[in-house]
Amino acid sequence: MTPETVMAGERRAAFDHLRLEGVTRRFGSAVALSELDLRIEGGEFLALLGPSGCGKSTALNCLAGLLPLSAGSIWLDGERIDGLPPERRGFGMVFQNYALFPHLSVRRNVAFGLSVRRVGKAEIRRRVDEALALVELTEHAGKLPGQLSGGQQQRVAIARAVVLRPRLVLMDEPLSNLDAKLRVQMRTEIRRMHQDLGLTTVYVTHDQEEALALADRLVVLRAGKVEQIGTPEEVYTYPSSTYIAGFMGYRNLLGLPAVTTENGRVVVGEGAFRLTGVPQERVSGPRAVAAVRPEDFRRAGPGDRNTLDVRVEVSEFHGREVAAEGVTEGGHVIHFRLPERVAPGERIELAVPVERVLVFAGTGAGTRAGTGARTGEAAGPADAAGPEEA
Amino acid sequence: MAVDTERTTPGTPRAPRRTGGLRHRLAERGVDRVLLLLVPALLVVILLFLYPMMYGVGLSLQPQKGGGMLANYRAFFDDPYQRDTIWKTLRLALPAALINVGVSVPIAYRLRGRFRGRRALTAILVLPVTLGTVLVADGLLRYLGPKGWFNRILLDLGLVDQPVRLIYNYWGVLFSLIITGFPFAFLLVLAYMSGIDPTLERAAATLGAGPWQRMRRILLPLLAPGLATTFVLAFVLAFSVFPSANLVGEPADETRVMAIAAYQSAFEKYDYSMASTIAVLMGAFELLVISVTLLVRGRLYTGPSAGGKGA
C-alpha cells in the first residue's frame, strides 16, 4: 500500500489489461456463463448489459472471486488470478444491496478495507476524509448505515470501494434500488468519479440507458453468451441482432416478408404496406424483421417517400413530446413519438428515413415481436429474435 | 365515556370529536378491544406461575424451626454443605452453557448455507432433544463407563493404563449437559446466523478481509447479541440440572447441585420452607447471571443485520 491519495486525479490505470479466456460457470446442469472471452483495457469503463439471467452478475462474481469458475481463466496482464480468493485480488466491489456493515459507522465502513490492510491511523483518517468528501457525506461520518437514506448508503458503498484505489471496481446494478431521479443523479456522479479517478470499472446493469450513459464500451450478454461488443454509439446505432435492437430502444420490431433487395436496400411489407430499410445481415426468404425506433418516425410531409398510414390508438403526453401507439391497415402495432398531440382514432401518415429502418433476417418473429412491443416488455425482444441470430 | 364528555361540555361541537380523539390516542398506544385476547394467557400466567412463585417466596420466609423471616436464608449460607451447592451448580452450568454456545457457532456457520444433506445433518444434531436426559444418562453410563467403548479404545490404544473415570462424577454431568443442551443452543445460533446477510462477508472479502478477519470484524459483532441471548437460555437450562446430576454424577458430593439440595430438603427432610428457600436462591443466582449477560448485551450493536435496503 503506497500512500496514494484518493483524489490524486492520476489517470494512469494500475494495469494494462485484464483478460477473460473462456470463462464458464455452470450451476448444476445450467450454464450461467458460457466461454466468455473479454479483454478489458486499463482505465476503461465497461458495462455488461443484458436482461436478468443473462449471466452478467455471474461474470462479475467470477471476476471478483466470489464464484469459482467451472472452466476458463482470468489474467491480469501476465498474472493468472482466477485462483486467488477475493481478498487477494485487490478489486473493489459495489453490491446491489450496498452490503454496508450495519454495526459500523459510515466512517468505519469506509475505513474497513484500510484497517484490514493495517494502514496507519493518521493515513486512514486522511484517506477516509477524502473519500467521504468525494461522495459528500462528511457530515454523516458518525452515523450508522441504518440512519441514512438509500442514496446516501449507495454513496457510502462507493466510497468504501474506491478509498482503496482498487485495480478494478466492480459494480453490480448499484443504482437499481434508487428512485428514478436519484438514479440519474448518481449515474452522473459515478461517471464523474470514473473520469476524475480513472479507475477501471466493470459495471453490470439491465438498464440500457444506464449502460449507454456510463460506459466506454458495452458488452451485451444473452443466455450466458456475448451478443455484441462495441461502443455505446455502435451498439445503439447498429445493433447486431433484433435481440439487441429490442434492448436498445427499437420498440418497433415488425415481422414482414422481404419483397425486393437491391442496391443495399431492402423493401419489406405485405398488402399495400411497404417499408424500405437497410439490411443488417443477409435478408432472404419470406420473413424479415424491420426494427425502427419510435423517435425516428415523424409526421409525413409532401415529398416524403418511406411512409405508412396508421390509426392512432393510444397517445401519452410526455412533456416535450407525445408517445403514441397506432395500428396499420395490416394490424401491425407502431410505436412513434411526435412533437404535437394526436387524438386516438385519428388517421395520420408517418415517415421514417430509410437508413433508420434496420432489417434483420427473422423467422416467424413478426407477430410475436408485435405482441412483445405492444405490452412493452423488456422480454419482448428476446422472444422476438429468431434462433439463428444467437 | 362518551356520555360523560357530552354532559360536561354540552352543546359544543367539539365534544364528539374529543372522544374520538381519545379512542385514537389509546389505539395509538395499542389500547383497544384486541387487548382482551390477552386475558386467558394472563390468567394462566397468574394462576400457574405468579401465584405458586409468590407462594414459594412466602413459604421460604416462614421457617419450620422459627427464628425470624430470614432464618432459612441464614441457615443456608451458614452451612457449608448447603452453601457449596451454589458453586457446584455454577461450576457445571457456566462451562456447559459456554461450551454449547461456543461449539454451536462454527457448526452453524458451516451449516447456514444451502447444501445437500443439510436437513439430515441438522436433524442428527438436534436429535438429543428428543431423547430426554434419562436416556442420555443411560447411554453415557455405558459409553463412558469403565468397560464402555470409550475407555476400551483408550486402553487398546495404550493411551491409558487403567480406565479413566468419566461417570459418577463432575465430568459425567458436564457431558450430559452438553449433549442435552447443545441442540437448543445450536438451533438458536443457527437462526441468528441465518439472519445475517451473507453479502456482508462477501463485501468484507472484496475489501481485503480474510476468513478470520471476516469472522472477527463482521460475523461475531453481528452475532454477539444473539449469542448472549442463547447463552442465557443455555445457562438457565443447565442451572436447573437434576436428573443427570443424580444419574451420572456424584449427588452426595461433587455434583450436589442446588436442585438436589432443594429436593432433599423437601422430600427427605420434609422441610418445604427450606426447599422453597433454596428454590428462591436458585432463581436469584440465575437472575444475577442473566442480568450481567443482558447488561453486556445492551452495550453491543443490536440493530438490523442486513446490509441495506432492498436486500
Side-chain angles (χ1 to χ4, degrees):
Chain A
M1 276 289 110
T2 48
E4 288 170 310
T5 61
V6 180
M7 308 249 281
E10 265 181 77
R11 308 210 39 189
R12 205 162 39 81
F15 61 90
D16 179 64
H17 68 270
L18 181 77
R19 219 164 66 245
L20 280 74
E21 281 181 3
V23 170
T24 302
R25 173 66 205 189
R26 284 182 285 268
F27 293 101
S29 59
V31 181
L33 193 63
S34 167
E35 300 193 15
L36 175 65
D37 292 316
L38 197 61
R39 191 185 152 106
I40 302 164
E41 303 297 330
E44 186 178 28
F45 197 122
L46 186 89
L48 295 180
L49 178 65
S52 58
C54 73
K56 56 190 192 302
S57 289
T58 308
L60 200 73
N61 283 318
C62 286
L63 256 177
L66 296 168
L67 266 183
L69 309 186
S70 304
S73 55
I74 303 174
W75 301 80
L76 192 78
D77 292 333
E79 183 198 359
R80 183 169 177 176
I81 59 161
D82 55 83
L84 292 179
E87 62 267 26
R88 302 215 0 237
R89 294 199 184 185
F91 297 167
M93 182 145 172
V94 179
F95 291 82
Q96 187 172 9
N97 70 357
Y98 318 142
L100 299 180
F101 307 129
H103 59 301
L104 300 179
S105 67
V106 168
R107 169 174 292 284
R108 293 186 57 199
N109 259 283
V110 177
F112 187 87
L114 295 169
S115 79
V116 164
R117 284 173 172 72
R118 306 195 182 285
V119 175
K121 272 223 172 94
E123 170 79 5
I124 290 181
R125 193 165 183 84
R126 189 175 58 75
R127 285 173 67 174
V128 170
D129 281 340
E130 277 174 358
L132 287 176
L134 185 73
V135 295
E136 291 169 13
L137 281 174
T138 307
E139 67 269 39
H140 300 292
K143 288 188 184 167
L144 289 176
Q147 297 166 293
L148 302 179
S149 70
Q152 289 168 333
Q153 293 188 13
Q154 221 284 328
R155 274 154 40 206
V156 177
I158 292 177
R160 187 177 67 175
V162 302
V163 73
L164 298 167
R165 281 188 78 72
R167 302 196 274 190
L168 180 67
V169 181
L170 306 168
M171 297 198 178
D172 189 3
E173 309 221 10
L175 304 183
S176 60
N177 283 333
L178 302 178
D179 62 64
K181 192 177 158 216
L182 206 52
R183 201 177 312 159
V184 175
Q185 219 173 317
M186 282 308 299
R187 199 169 75 192
T188 314
E189 286 310 309
I190 289 176
R191 182 70 212 179
R192 188 200 314 280
M193 199 137 40
H194 176 255
Q195 284 170 3
D196 289 349
L197 304 178
L199 296 172
T200 315
T201 307
V202 177
Y203 188 100
V204 158
T205 181
H206 63 263
D207 181 343
Q208 94 281 1
E209 215 180 295
E210 224 168 271
L212 290 169
L214 285 170
D216 298 323
R217 220 148 52 93
L218 288 184
V219 177
V220 188
L221 292 173
R222 176 194 188 185
K225 292 193 168 133
V226 173
E227 185 90 355
Q228 186 174 5
I229 300 184
T231 65
E233 292 80 2
E234 283 165 7
V235 178
Y236 185 73
T237 322
Y238 300 107
S240 67
S241 65
T242 45
Y243 170 76
I244 295 186
F247 220 84
M248 283 296 144
Y250 290 77
R251 264 191 99 186
N252 300 296
L253 296 168
L254 306 166
L256 290 164
V259 182
T260 54
T261 312
E262 52 184 322
N263 303 332
R265 295 277 189 270
V266 60
V267 179
V268 294
E270 52 190 11
F273 178 31
R274 288 283 182 277
L275 210 52
T276 310
V278 185
Q280 302 298 303
E281 50 197 335
R282 243 181 71 83
V283 180
S284 62
R287 303 300 290 182
V289 176
V292 189
R293 258 202 216 101
E295 52 271 37
D296 287 330
F297 283 111
R298 62 172 191 278
R299 209 188 263 269
D304 271 328
R305 300 271 292 284
N306 211 14
T307 62
L308 64 163
D309 287 308
V310 295
R311 187 168 44 81
V312 178
E313 285 208 322
V314 185
S315 133
E316 296 167 10
F317 179 63
H318 282 195
R320 211 160 49 82
E321 57 187 2
V322 169
E325 196 182 294
V327 186
T328 63
E329 211 56 56
H332 286 282
V333 178
I334 307 286
H335 299 271
F336 57 97
R337 286 164 183 272
L338 292 176
E340 73 282 335
R341 189 123 209 174
V342 285
E346 200 181 325
R347 285 178 179 284
I348 56 171
E349 192 180 21
L350 297 171
V352 56
V354 171
E355 63 276 12
R356 294 316 304 146
V357 180
L358 310 181
V359 183
F360 297 92
T363 39
T367 45
R368 281 164 67 206
T371 329
R374 182 180 259 267
T375 48
E377 289 167 345
D383 299 335
E388 76 274 35
E389 289 145 355
Chain B
M1 190 73 211
V3 179
D4 271 1
T5 322
E6 258 176 47
R7 203 184 299 151
T8 48
T9 53
T12 54
R14 275 180 159 196
R17 216 184 292 162
R18 204 187 291 165
T19 45
L22 177 66
R23 199 172 298 154
H24 283 300
R25 282 203 302 279
L26 285 176
E28 209 151 84
R29 285 171 176 74
V31 182
D32 53 28
R33 251 174 280 172
V34 183
L35 273 185
L36 291 176
L37 291 174
L38 282 179
V39 169
L42 268 178
L43 276 178
V44 169
V45 167
I46 290 170
L47 289 177
L48 294 182
F49 179 70
L50 272 183
Y51 172 72
M53 195 183 85
M54 294 323 289
Y55 184 84
V57 171
L59 202 60
S60 77
L61 297 173
Q62 299 159 34
Q64 272 181 352
K65 295 161 198 147
M69 282 197 354
L70 294 175
N72 273 338
Y73 291 90
R74 234 176 280 130
F76 180 86
F77 283 105
D78 283 345
D79 180 0
Y81 188 55
Q82 298 285 56
R83 190 178 58 214
D84 287 352
T85 58
I86 299 171
W87 165 240
K88 282 170 187 165
T89 316
L90 284 175
R91 202 166 74 107
L92 278 168
L94 283 176
L98 281 174
I99 290 170
N100 280 336
V101 174
V103 170
S104 297
V105 172
I107 299 178
Y109 182 71
R110 190 63 197 81
L111 289 191
R112 72 174 164 163
R114 264 187 236 156
F115 61 88
R116 214 174 296 166
R118 178 189 160 160
R119 273 161 173 262
L121 198 55
T122 312
I124 291 170
L125 287 169
V126 172
L127 201 64
V129 175
T130 60
L131 294 179
T133 30
V134 177
L135 203 57
V136 169
D138 190 47
L140 275 179
L141 290 178
R142 287 162 201 279
Y143 180 62
L144 295 178
K147 290 188 176 160
W149 299 354
F150 186 73
N151 268 315
R152 257 191 270 166
I153 290 169
L154 287 187
L155 285 170
D156 288 351
L157 289 175
L159 291 171
V160 291
D161 296 332
Q162 51 188 17
V164 187
R165 199 163 160 234
L166 291 170
I167 50 169
Y168 302 127
N169 65 2
Y170 172 80
W171 296 107
V173 182
L174 187 65
F175 285 137
S176 162
L177 285 178
I178 289 171
I179 289 169
T180 50
F182 171 78
F184 288 105
F186 168 71
L187 284 181
L188 275 168
V189 171
L190 185 64
Y192 281 114
M193 189 90 78
S194 307
I196 296 175
D197 181 1
T199 329
L200 295 179
E201 277 171 88
R202 291 149 61 97
T206 62
L207 291 167
W212 169 242
Q213 296 259 32
R214 299 202 287 269
M215 183 89 165
R216 190 174 67 81
R217 290 171 180 255
I218 306 298
L219 194 71
L220 284 182
L222 289 173
L223 200 58
L227 293 184
T229 308
T230 310
F231 170 78
V232 163
L233 291 172
F235 171 75
V236 168
L237 208 64
F239 195 83
S240 50
V241 53
F242 181 75
S244 60
N246 256 324
L247 296 170
V248 286
E250 193 187 3
D253 182 24
E254 208 181 7
T255 66
R256 186 171 183 268
V257 293
M258 292 180 88
I260 291 180
Y263 173 83
Q264 286 173 342
S265 292
F267 301 109
E268 285 170 17
K269 296 179 195 158
Y270 299 103
D271 186 345
Y272 289 115
S273 173
M274 189 63 194
S276 299
T277 305
I278 299 175
V280 168
L281 284 172
M282 278 179 77
F285 279 102
E286 285 181 63
L287 272 180
L288 187 74
V289 173
I290 293 171
S291 320
V292 170
T293 312
L294 293 185
L295 215 65
V296 173
R297 184 185 184 274
R299 302 175 61 100
L300 302 169
Y301 169 82
T302 51
S305 46
K309 297 191 175 180

